Amino acid sequence: MERSAEQVRENYKRITDRIGEAMAKYRKPEEQVQLMAVTKTVDPALVNVAVECGVRLLGENRVQEYESKKAQYDPRAQVQFIGQLQTNKVKYLIPEISMIQSVDSLHLANEVERIAARADKVQDILLEVNIGGEESKGGIPAEELHGLLEEAARKPHLHVCGLMTIPPKTDVEKYFFRMQKLFIDISAENMDNIDMHVLSMGMSGDYVEAIKYGSTLVRIGSALFGARG
Ligand SMILES: *Cc1c(COP(=O)(O)O)cnc(C)c1O
């Protein structure tokens, strides 16, 4: 698929139509899902076409790429970080980044806390869960999530807003179901300083299924901007 403004406008229309259909089919009328445009390898001018269409959330994977593009983004969009994050790069994201979705270890949570404290900011974060237990992927194993939540909840400059995941490619529904269950169970615990309102799951190939299992934020790259080269 070629990358053009016209194509992005068409894709945006198709995606928002499908999201609307999925929400009508699977969810309560008062529920909502946010559409994040994932910007990796995409020219900022084309990212801004998506913002012009109505996208208000951008997702960044790489710190360096974000640094080189951020000044050109339409300021109507908020930017969140969704990629694997090395602790030594956290300082480049705070205070601008509105949410870091990919916190997956105590080591990383400690560094986000330290840098956020220095910036006098309470940083919104999600905890990323490796729900399929895949070696190659980021995220904390589901069995270790509770411990990390308890640690994060004690940190004054972290605000845990929910969970994020990238499921294995096969059997996605099984993994989305497990995430939904984790999310609901943790919400029901009403832990102090843990605010479970974001369940970030669903990408170009599986966002309809993710909506079926309670996603509140879908992260879409290639279906919106075209395939990455
Ligand atoms: C690239 C990426 C996406 C979007 O993937 P597409 O399949 O292109 O929609 C979503 N989430 C994360 C964490 C990504 O790295």
Side-chain angles (χ1 to χ4, degrees), residues 36-40 59-62 81-84 101-102 128 164-166 200 202-207 218-228:
M36 166 183 278
V38 176
T39 66
K40 56 184 179 243
E60 297 293 315
N61 280 76
R62 297 183 189 96
F81 194 80
I82 61 173
Q84 288 198 28
Q101 294 201 355
S102 44
E128 180 179 353
M164 186 269 242
T165 199
I166 306 171
S200 171
M203 318 202 299
S204 291
D206 56 20
Y207 63 92
V218 292
R219 308 178 309 264
I220 300 194
S222 51
L224 182 60
F225 296 116
R228 290 179 290 274

Side-chain angles (χ1 to χ4, degrees), residues 7-224:
Q7 193 67 60
V8 170
R9 284 189 279 268
E10 269 176 38
N11 291 340
Y12 176 81
K13 171 87 173 67
R14 195 184 56 254
I15 292 164
T16 50
D17 284 352
R18 284 188 73 200
I19 289 174
E21 285 162 21
M23 289 300 285
K25 186 166 172 191
Y26 297 119
R27 304 281 288 275
K28 299 200 187 90
E30 69 274 18
E31 293 184 333
Q32 285 187 352
V33 65
Q34 287 183 287
L35 168 58
M36 166 183 278
V38 176
T39 66
K40 56 184 179 243
T41 77
V42 181
D43 192 275
L46 213 52
V47 173
N48 289 341
V49 172
V51 178
E52 197 58 49
C53 288
V55 168
R56 288 295 175 270
L57 208 49
L58 305 179
E60 297 293 315
N61 280 76
R62 297 183 189 96
V63 173
Q64 246 186 333
E65 188 178 337
Y66 166 62
E67 288 276 298
S68 73
K69 287 156 74 175
K70 65 183 181 187
Q72 298 169 71
Y73 288 151
D74 185 324
R76 286 177 293 178
Q78 277 186 34
V79 187
Q80 302 191 351
F81 194 80
I82 61 173
Q84 288 198 28
L85 183 56
Q86 292 167 292
T87 47
N88 62 349
K89 301 271 174 72
V90 172
K91 58 180 180 285
Y92 301 109
L93 300 181
I94 298 175
E96 295 108 314
I97 282 279
S98 71
M99 184 184 278
I100 299 175
Q101 294 201 355
S102 44
V103 176
D104 64 356
S105 68
L106 182 57
H107 183 57
L108 183 54
N110 284 338
E111 181 63 0
V112 176
E113 168 66 22
R114 191 179 75 84
I115 304 286
R118 207 170 65 182
D120 201 17
K121 181 188 184 191
V122 176
Q123 179 65 52
D124 284 348
I125 63 168
L126 303 182
L127 299 186
E128 180 179 353
V129 182
N130 186 345
I131 196 66
E134 293 172 290
E135 286 284 336
S136 60
K137 280 196 180 138
I140 185 146
E143 316 80 70
E144 294 170 29
L145 175 61
H146 213 274
L148 184 57
L149 275 165
E150 282 171 358
E151 293 282 352
R154 281 199 282 272
K155 297 187 191 299
H157 301 89
L158 296 187
H159 178 218
V160 179
C161 301
L163 306 177
M164 186 269 242
T165 199
I166 306 171
K169 287 207 166 55
T170 51
D171 278 336
V172 285
E173 294 209 27
K174 176 172 91 183
Y175 295 107
F176 285 153
F177 174 75
R178 285 188 193 168
M179 282 302 295
Q180 181 178 39
K181 185 163 179 344
L182 268 181
F183 186 74
I184 290 172
D185 289 349
I186 294 163
S187 304
E189 285 186 54
N190 283 320
M191 296 168 73
D192 280 345
N193 198 29
I194 299 287
D195 201 7
M196 281 282 137
H197 66 269
V198 181
L199 179 56
S200 171
M201 61 185 193
M203 318 202 299
S204 291
D206 56 20
Y207 63 92
V208 168
E209 290 83 358
I211 288 171
K212 182 172 169 188
Y213 293 96
S215 171
T216 71
L217 189 161
V218 292
R219 308 178 309 264
I220 300 194
S222 51
L224 182 60

